[in-house]
Amino acid sequence: MIDAEQDRQTVDSDGVPQGKSGHLQRGDTAQTLASSFGDSCHIHASDEEELVYTGDEVEAMKQVRTKLLEEHGIDKAKVCDAFLAVATINCKLRIEDTVNKIVKLLGIMKELDCEDGIDADLWKPAAIHELKSFAPVGKCNNGCHAQWIRKGGKVTKEEQRNHVHACIMFYLANNRDARTLRNGMLFVFDLTGRDDMATEKRQGNEKLIQSFYQALPSRPQSINIVGCSFLLRSFINASIKVASLLIKQKMLARIHFSVMDDVKKLFPEKSLPKYCGGNGGGIGERAMETG
């Protein structure tokens, strides 16, 4: 665990850096920006590794906030501190990279009816039903969180705003502890029974939704795709070939077609989703229910 006694950062229960001032406005000075992140103490999460921002991390967050405000007019109302912190660390403290990713993400979100951006009110009750594709899962063997998608499906234009909000809720929840935030997470896509993906009726927003997924700053340890028939695998390989024009080779190398038995070995038994014989890491499913 990192213990930075000087210039370390408090986070609240939502992962939001706590500071000494209120919302920032365009034209605020660097000193005001610095004070908004604070430099005092920290908290313990009951079942997570303690998250204490280092001095370098806090400084990078300050610089990202400054550039967003001064160069793009983007303040806390559009990007809350919680998301900014996660994005900055997932981008390995690269200032320009983080700023560019956030600006691009907000542009895509605007096209998906989320022109209000990512505000500090992170829990969106209206979007709960769009969590239906996320299977409750515990941590993998190395102690990091995982994202497990079961089946999924097309996102209608009527639900695209809720879908975006649900994805952001899940994204921030999975990046809430120090180990996952600094080491990345494992992704599992269970496509069993989804041979209809290639022929499913198009909604007209598919490319935009995929662009949104790709724009979320993330650090995948591996991306495991299971349950693919020959037809579905051919369809996915064609999609990956197209995506290779935009995605770094290093990221493509982490995509694996796997069998479920091998994926299960990456998790303690209790962490596996309930439909795979586990306990979902003890995570309740009420918020994931579709009705």
Side-chain angles (χ1 to χ4, degrees), residues 170-188:
F170 201 87
Y171 171 81
L172 291 175
N174 260 11
N175 281 285
R176 67 187 180 272
D177 72 299
R179 184 180 293 272
T180 303
L181 188 55
R182 296 192 177 105
N183 295 282
M185 69 178 72
L186 185 149
F187 290 76
V188 178

Side-chain angles (χ1 to χ4, degrees), residues 193-226:
R194 284 308 318 274
D195 286 352
D196 61 340
M197 282 184 66
T199 57
E200 198 173 10
K201 182 180 178 181
R202 293 182 60 82
Q203 299 295 319
N205 60 0
E206 286 81 3
K207 289 184 178 180
L208 202 54
I209 292 292
Q210 287 301 319
S211 295
F212 165 71
Y213 297 152
Q214 294 169 13
L216 284 169
S218 60
R219 197 183 296 183
Q221 296 176 359
S222 65
I223 301 171
N224 303 273
I225 304 172
V226 299

Side-chain angles (χ1 to χ4, degrees), residues 8-275:
R8 63 185 183 180
Q9 175 57 54
T10 307
V11 295
D12 70 8
S13 59
D14 293 318
V16 182
Q18 297 298 285
K20 303 170 185 176
S21 62
H23 289 288
L24 302 176
Q25 303 296 326
R26 181 194 286 269
D28 279 346
T29 64
Q31 288 76 17
T32 304
L33 290 163
S35 68
S36 77
F37 284 95
D39 57 1
S40 52
C41 55
H42 55 276
I43 64 165
H44 291 271
S46 59
D47 61 346
E48 304 289 356
E49 183 174 336
E50 182 183 11
L51 175 54
V52 182
Y53 295 133
T54 67
D56 287 344
E57 289 169 346
V58 173
E59 181 57 33
M61 293 173 201
K62 295 173 186 175
Q63 292 186 42
V64 170
R65 178 65 77 195
T66 300
K67 282 184 171 290
L68 287 172
L69 277 167
E70 295 182 353
E71 298 178 10
H72 302 279
I74 298 172
D75 62 11
K76 279 189 177 182
K78 290 287 187 180
V79 180
C80 67
D81 280 341
F83 188 88
L84 184 145
V86 170
T88 302
I89 296 176
N90 268 324
C91 290
K92 300 181 180 179
L93 311 188
R94 299 183 183 119
I95 310 304
E96 291 294 340
D97 189 25
T98 307
V99 170
N100 291 337
K101 284 182 178 293
I102 290 176
V103 171
K104 180 180 180 180
L105 177 65
L106 291 178
I108 295 171
M109 288 176 61
K110 185 176 181 179
E111 293 188 66
L112 290 169
D113 303 325
C114 295
E115 60 281 344
D116 44 346
I118 306 169
D119 59 32
D121 186 14
L122 300 174
W123 180 244
K124 307 291 187 187
I128 290 175
H129 62 282
E130 282 296 315
L131 291 168
K132 60 182 180 293
S133 298
F134 297 99
V137 61
K139 294 181 178 180
C140 54
N141 290 333
N142 66 7
C144 293
H145 284 287
Q147 179 169 304
W148 192 300
I149 306 295
R150 187 182 183 188
K151 294 188 177 181
K154 299 289 185 180
V155 179
T156 66
K157 290 187 177 180
E158 292 76 18
E159 289 292 347
Q160 60 189 19
R161 176 180 170 84
N162 286 330
H163 184 75
V164 167
H165 285 163
C167 289
I168 290 173
M169 285 194 290
F170 201 87
Y171 171 81
L172 291 175
N174 260 11
N175 281 285
R176 67 187 180 272
D177 72 299
R179 184 180 293 272
T180 303
L181 188 55
R182 296 192 177 105
N183 295 282
M185 69 178 72
L186 185 149
F187 290 76
V188 178
F189 294 87
D190 183 1
L191 302 180
T192 305
R194 284 308 318 274
D195 286 352
D196 61 340
M197 282 184 66
T199 57
E200 198 173 10
K201 182 180 178 181
R202 293 182 60 82
Q203 299 295 319
N205 60 0
E206 286 81 3
K207 289 184 178 180
L208 202 54
I209 292 292
Q210 287 301 319
S211 295
F212 165 71
Y213 297 152
Q214 294 169 13
L216 284 169
S218 60
R219 197 183 296 183
Q221 296 176 359
S222 65
I223 301 171
N224 303 273
I225 304 172
V226 299
C228 287
S229 65
F230 175 79
L231 176 63
L232 185 55
R233 183 165 179 165
S234 298
F235 171 71
I236 293 174
N237 274 329
S239 300
I240 291 174
K241 187 175 181 179
V242 173
S244 67
L245 301 174
L246 303 171
I247 300 176
K248 293 180 180 179
Q249 192 63 37
K250 181 179 179 181
M251 186 70 72
L252 292 173
R254 296 176 183 173
I255 300 176
H256 309 285
F257 288 97
S258 307
V259 296
M260 184 62 80
D261 285 345
D262 287 340
V263 170
K264 286 182 177 180
K265 294 175 183 177
L266 302 175
F267 296 83
E269 185 175 351
K270 65 180 181 180
S271 287
L272 290 167
K274 290 184 178 180
Y275 81 94

